[in-house]
Amino acid sequence: MTITQEQADWFVQTFGQIADNVERAVLGKRRVVELVLTAMLSDGHVLLEDVPGTGKTSLARAMAQSVQGTNTRIQFTPDLLPSDITGLSVYDQKEGVFEFHAGPIFANIVLADEINRASPKTQSALLEVMEEGRVTIDGVSRPVGVPFLVLATQNPVEQAGTYRLPEAQLDRFMMRTSLGYPDHAATVRILDGAAVATAQLTPIITPQALVGMADLAAQVYVDALVLDYIARLVDSTRSADEVRLGVSIRGALALTRAVRTRAASQGRTYATPDDVKALAVPVLSHRLILHPEAEFDGVTQETVIGQVLLDVAPPSRRETA
């Protein structure tokens, strides 16, 4: 079943309304807002590598407010336990039974602040929920609900007292991006009080309708030549001289899902090579492991993906027509 043009028109209109609403609270960051919304509609999660004070919490709250969803924030520290995230069963002496107390992971949008400050055991507890969408405690499996988006952050500058995310765990994030500082014009507007408080944002869509949007995005047509283009890009990352370990098949699947959502957000019923190019860096770059010599020479994961995009020829418009 393929998405109809009428459904695509509704999708692009609603997508724009949600992004506009979020941008009222997070000024001047349209690209990042659209990436996070794309990940949410593609059943993915986002890693934000950013310094403190750039609006990460505001972004999470604005997203939750716009979709009438619940929002929680978990401050990761070295003494944080897995049960502090997932919840635990507490014995009720009066009733003589164990009662489950849900943790902060049971929300539509979870901000995992400074995820690399927690121990690997605690990191794994969060990442397991991200992959499965459910928590199992005392043999009972409990779904965290839908939609479900984890916005994890880590400070790329301050690394003292942190536990680096292993590559296998990084691979579970659909995208990695950065809010960064706002430009001069946006900074002046923020200082002037132009940013709307997240509590004052008007909800745009219900969580159930957002799930319907995600279902529509999954129906976007992806031509075999576009799939071949994605496969060739992924293959090229594995053979690049600077790369020790290239993009996994999970990364290729994530890019395909994100490409479908981006095509729908542009009002199309089909994906194009331009959709792939637009999302290749945020979806693929954090999955690469570079040779130490390349890192020493100043090569970054983003520059490798950029070079791969230049080297691998996309299918022509005539071929994809």
Side-chain angles (χ1 to χ4, degrees), residues 3 7 10-22 33-45 59-70 107-110 145-150 202-219 261 264-265:
I3 184 175
Q7 290 170 327
W10 173 82
F11 189 104
V12 66
Q13 179 183 6
T14 308
F15 188 96
Q17 289 174 344
I18 297 172
D20 289 342
N21 205 47
V22 173
V33 169
E34 290 183 346
L35 283 176
V36 172
L37 185 53
T38 297
M40 191 176 192
L41 291 167
S42 308
D43 193 27
H45 307 282
L59 173 61
R61 287 177 177 168
M63 289 287 295
Q65 186 74 7
S66 298
V67 301
Q68 294 185 28
T70 53
N108 295 121
I109 298 178
V110 179
V146 289
F148 178 57
L149 170 72
V150 172
T202 304
I204 301 298
I205 193 173
T206 64
Q208 293 76 20
L210 194 76
V211 172
M213 286 184 70
D215 291 340
L216 287 178
Q219 297 172 18
T261 302
S265 74

Side-chain angles (χ1 to χ4, degrees), residues 225-240 273 276-277 304-315:
L225 288 170
V226 177
L227 293 175
D228 175 73
Y229 180 46
I230 293 173
R232 286 187 288 118
L233 287 174
V234 169
D235 286 340
S236 294
T237 67
R238 298 167 185 165
S239 58
V276 179
K277 292 178 182 178
V304 171
I305 296 297
Q307 187 60 48
V308 166
L309 288 171
L310 291 174
D311 294 342
V312 178

Side-chain angles (χ1 to χ4, degrees), residues 14 82 114 125 178 207:
T14 308
E114 293 194 287
S178 171

Side-chain angles (χ1 to χ4, degrees), residues 47-76:
L47 178 64
L48 293 174
E49 281 198 343
D50 237 326
V51 295
T54 53
K56 299 181 291 291
T57 303
S58 295
L59 173 61
R61 287 177 177 168
M63 289 287 295
Q65 186 74 7
S66 298
V67 301
Q68 294 185 28
T70 53
N71 160 243
T72 57
R73 179 178 182 271
I74 307 171
Q75 182 63 54
F76 279 66

Side-chain angles (χ1 to χ4, degrees), residues 211-268:
V211 172
M213 286 184 70
D215 291 340
L216 287 178
Q219 297 172 18
V220 168
Y221 174 71
V222 183
D223 189 84
L225 288 170
V226 177
L227 293 175
D228 175 73
Y229 180 46
I230 293 173
R232 286 187 288 118
L233 287 174
V234 169
D235 286 340
S236 294
T237 67
R238 298 167 185 165
S239 58
D241 294 336
E242 306 89 347
V243 176
R244 184 157 55 95
L245 188 65
V247 176
S248 67
I249 189 64
R250 181 189 282 124
L253 288 168
L255 181 57
T256 305
R257 294 202 310 272
V259 160
R260 283 191 165 100
T261 302
R262 186 183 187 276
S265 74
Q266 303 296 308
R268 286 183 273 103

Side-chain angles (χ1 to χ4, degrees), residues 23-29 182-196:
E23 205 179 11
R24 292 174 62 202
V26 187
L27 300 180
K29 296 298 175 184
D183 59 26
H184 178 76
T187 300
V188 172
R189 292 174 61 204
I190 292 170
L191 296 177
D192 195 39
V196 176

